[in-house]
Amino acid sequence: MTHDNSTRVQAPNYSVAASSLYDGPSLKPSGGVGPDSCSNPVTTLLVRRKTPFQVSTFNCRTLNPVSRKQELAHSAFLHHNDVISLQEHRQHHKESLRIENILSYQLITASATKNSVNASVGGVGFLLSPRIQKSLLSVEKVNSRIILLHVNGNPRLTVLSCYAPTNCSDIEDKTAFYNALTRIISKVPPHNMLAVCGDFNAKLSNSYGFTYHQSTNDNGERLLDLVDQHQLIVANRCFQKPANKIWTYEDPKRAKH
């Protein structure tokens, strides 16, 4: 999803205190823990006139073993991905946020959680190109399902990586996820360019644009409510393509979604 309600006036200076909004710390580009202020020495602007950049999203289902990380970085290089929003990486670690250098790319992950049989599940993060690393202001963990980054530019770019509960999850879990997401989006300065990326486990009927499904599920209804509330656009329903080119996930039974 994308959001662009930027204006021509100069964006205000701001500093977000991680402890006031999120359950984890933020990382500076250098890897130090703590929120960044406007005195940050980062001067490279990512978002500029006539300078394209690419933000993508990918449910990787796992980044184990290490070769998966190298494959991901190599693919990002081939396809010129500046930011890849990651979900379900299944990397469990003690740190709230972990930084790893993969080839020339930087992998930043919020830890996955453990289920009842001690298996790692979920986990969100970002893969950042060398170009993004030069403009990165901060990365902040909201919770185990939401992480966001701020990138220097004119205007500034804010990217969220989200992993929503499945459609059959408890109503309380889904409500908590969307409540947290709403709070975070509301805190993003209106001058920023906003991209909300992720796996929402949502199905939208083709009455809402070019989509694969004939009906909308509960997660889809919640997603549409979020879109209406914050004046967002569901970007991947805007492409007029044949049905066999607009599905994004194939389950183990070969059903497409």
Side-chain angles (χ1 to χ4, degrees):
M1 295 186 299
T2 59
H3 175 190
D4 184 7
N5 62 346
S6 61
T7 67
R8 290 176 182 256
V9 300
Q10 184 176 1
N13 291 339
Y14 70 95
S15 175
V16 179
S19 61
S20 65
L21 295 177
Y22 317 122
D23 68 356
S26 64
L27 288 178
K28 298 179 181 179
S30 62
V33 177
D36 283 72
S37 68
C38 293
S39 61
N40 192 299
V42 176
T43 57
T44 303
L45 299 180
L46 174 73
V47 184
R48 292 179 292 176
R49 291 184 60 192
K50 300 181 180 180
T51 305
F53 61 94
Q54 187 169 203
V55 177
S56 306
T57 185
F58 180 46
N59 183 324
C60 51
R61 302 188 70 182
T62 184
L63 284 179
N64 294 315
V66 175
S67 58
R68 287 285 187 93
K69 300 177 183 178
Q70 297 171 340
E71 181 182 14
L72 178 65
H74 181 65
S75 179
F77 173 77
L78 291 178
H79 297 285
H80 309 290
N81 294 122
D82 291 302
V83 179
I84 299 183
S85 164
L86 300 171
Q87 304 84 43
E88 211 171 354
H89 55 66
R90 302 179 188 174
Q91 303 286 295
H92 186 266
H93 45 75
K94 294 181 179 179
E95 306 98 316
S96 180
L97 290 172
R98 171 181 287 180
I99 295 180
E100 301 174 69
N101 293 315
I102 311 296
L103 303 179
S104 61
Y105 285 73
Q106 196 171 72
L107 177 66
I108 303 178
T109 56
S111 178
T113 57
K114 292 285 188 178
N115 62 13
S116 57
V117 295
N118 204 37
S120 296
V121 295
V124 289
F126 294 104
L127 184 73
L128 308 178
S129 71
R131 180 183 173 196
I132 283 285
Q133 294 171 41
K134 295 176 182 178
S135 304
L136 181 63
L137 295 175
S138 65
V139 179
E140 303 168 22
K141 176 185 175 183
V142 179
N143 54 42
S144 61
R145 292 186 175 273
I146 305 173
I147 187 175
L148 74 158
L149 64 81
H150 300 289
V151 181
N152 198 24
N154 185 21
R156 287 187 175 181
L157 171 68
T158 298
V159 184
L160 278 72
S161 179
C162 311
Y163 181 47
T166 59
N167 196 61
C168 59
S169 297
D170 293 338
I171 294 177
E172 293 79 8
D173 292 339
K174 293 192 283 187
T175 300
F177 169 79
Y178 276 98
N179 286 344
L181 190 55
T182 293
R183 288 195 301 270
I184 298 309
I185 294 175
S186 299
K187 296 290 185 179
V188 176
H191 298 82
N192 286 29
M193 180 181 295
L194 172 65
V196 184
C197 306
D199 182 354
F200 288 88
N201 286 297
K203 297 179 182 179
L204 302 181
S205 74
N206 51 24
S207 61
Y208 293 104
F210 303 106
T211 64
Y212 186 78
H213 294 282
Q214 302 297 317
S215 60
T216 300
N217 64 1
D218 180 63
N219 273 356
E221 295 290 352
R222 292 172 183 268
L223 179 61
L224 290 173
D225 289 342
L226 182 80
V227 167
D228 291 340
Q229 181 178 356
H230 298 286
Q231 298 180 320
L232 304 173
I233 298 171
V234 182
N236 64 348
R237 71 180 184 184
C238 299
F239 302 96
Q240 186 174 5
K241 293 183 178 181
N244 64 347
K245 291 188 176 181
I246 55 178
W247 58 272
T248 59
Y249 172 69
E250 184 178 62
D251 66 25
K253 295 183 179 179
R254 307 300 296 273
K256 296 179 173 62
H257 305 274

